[in-house]
Amino acid sequence: MGCNIAIDGPAGAGKSTIAKKIAKEKHCIYVDTGAMYRAMGLYFLRNGISAGDERQISEKCGEADITISHVDGEQVVFLNGEDVGGFLRTEEVGNMASSISVYPEVRKKLVELQQRLAKQTDVVMDGRDIGTCVLPDADVKVYLTAGSGVRAKRRYEELAAKGEACDLEQIEKDIIERDRRDMNREISPLRQADDAVLVDSSDMSIDEVVERILSLCREKEHGRI
Ligand code: DC
């Protein structure tokens, strides 16, 4: 069976960790669409363009050439030819990515790139609008979520492990604000697709979530969903 798996959900739900593992199991390519929005956000941060300046962002998003390649199954993101992987995972870039992702020009450009990638090969793709907009015909769709407190704690531990200064309360506030923005924007807001399966990972281990999704894939292969 072709393997096109869409995993959507709010920030910190564990999408990328889970999606990477599923991709390995299914011998698919993992596509992290959040990293593309982050690379675009980084471009505007570096150029001193504020998130509220829709005109400049719409005009200049064409100047940010974002490309993707895969090395040993890991996605590498290039911004105008530079590997920007090391700059994308900060809260500042994440918040900027969320803010600029409301603009139609930005979404159009990145959705086209994502759809092109999925046409070339089997993918496990994670993001906010994969099941609803980017890959409406995905074989398996999952809406992966967890409580905001759990998600904040996970993000805190991820940042602390990297030695980044962070404050748990502030992270939870940011997560709630990011959820609000991602769920309430006009174009392709974050929501569970009608045919997506809800997986709440609050009380599940990574392996349990992976197994749940692999079992959904098996059910799909046997025609049970
Ligand atoms: O998954 P992430 O935290 O790396 O995503 C960063 C932001 O990018 C997220 O808050 C909203 C935006 N985004 C989006 O609008 N659509 C996607 N498919 C993926 C991310």
Side-chain angles (χ1 to χ4, degrees):
M1 168 189 128
C3 163
N4 253 342
I5 302 173
I7 304 181
D8 290 301
K15 298 186 297 293
S16 62
T17 309
I18 304 293
K20 266 187 214 164
K21 285 181 178 266
I22 305 275
K24 210 167 184 190
E25 286 285 328
K26 304 291 293 175
H27 307 288
C28 298
I29 290 286
Y30 165 53
V31 180
D32 171 2
T33 63
M36 301 175 188
Y37 288 91
R38 285 171 183 261
M40 187 71 93
L42 178 68
Y43 177 78
F44 292 117
L45 281 172
R46 282 180 170 178
N47 286 281
I49 295 170
S50 87
D53 194 341
E54 178 169 5
R55 191 181 57 81
Q56 287 241 62
I57 288 178
S58 305
E59 272 173 27
K60 293 205 188 302
C61 72
E63 293 174 8
D65 181 35
I66 292 166
T67 51
I68 297 293
S69 72
H70 285 84
V71 179
D72 296 333
E74 289 281 322
Q75 173 176 290
V76 186
V77 183
F78 295 91
L79 170 61
N80 293 329
E82 174 194 352
D83 173 357
V84 288
F87 301 101
L88 301 183
R89 308 283 339 150
T90 66
E91 290 305 284
E92 186 192 22
V93 172
N95 289 329
M96 185 65 169
S98 171
S99 299
I100 59 148
S101 71
V102 304
Y103 300 128
E105 291 295 329
V106 171
R107 299 208 72 80
K108 183 169 173 284
K109 180 173 165 148
L110 296 182
V111 167
E112 278 170 11
L113 171 62
Q114 293 151 16
Q115 289 176 332
R116 234 182 298 131
L117 284 167
K119 254 200 195 136
Q120 288 161 8
T121 180
D122 290 344
V123 294
V124 179
M125 193 177 276
D126 79 5
R128 301 294 188 286
D129 60 339
I130 311 306
T132 52
C133 166
V134 181
L135 303 177
D137 299 325
D139 300 291
V140 172
K141 295 183 187 179
V142 172
Y143 189 83
L144 183 63
T145 189
S148 65
V150 176
R151 290 186 283 128
K153 193 152 170 282
R154 289 179 187 161
R155 195 50 45 114
Y156 173 85
E157 281 164 3
E158 192 186 315
L159 292 170
K162 284 194 291 186
E164 264 187 53
C166 50
D167 170 57
L168 182 59
E169 229 174 85
Q170 187 58 44
I171 291 178
E172 184 167 3
K173 262 193 209 150
D174 281 353
I175 275 189
I176 291 169
E177 171 57 17
R178 189 117 73 88
D179 287 356
R180 191 198 58 73
R181 209 186 295 125
D182 293 347
M183 289 172 175
N184 292 295
R185 67 178 177 227
E186 229 166 274
I187 321 165
S188 319
L190 169 64
R191 64 168 186 83
Q192 184 181 341
D194 295 336
D195 50 353
V197 175
L198 176 72
V199 177
D200 185 332
S201 73
S202 302
D203 298 312
M204 290 171 87
S205 68
I206 291 172
D207 285 347
E208 283 171 336
V209 177
V210 169
E211 184 40 43
R212 172 84 180 104
I213 297 175
L214 289 175
S215 85
L216 288 172
C217 294
R218 287 193 293 270
E219 283 175 31
K220 176 77 188 187
E221 280 158 29
H222 296 124
R224 288 201 285 269
I225 56 171

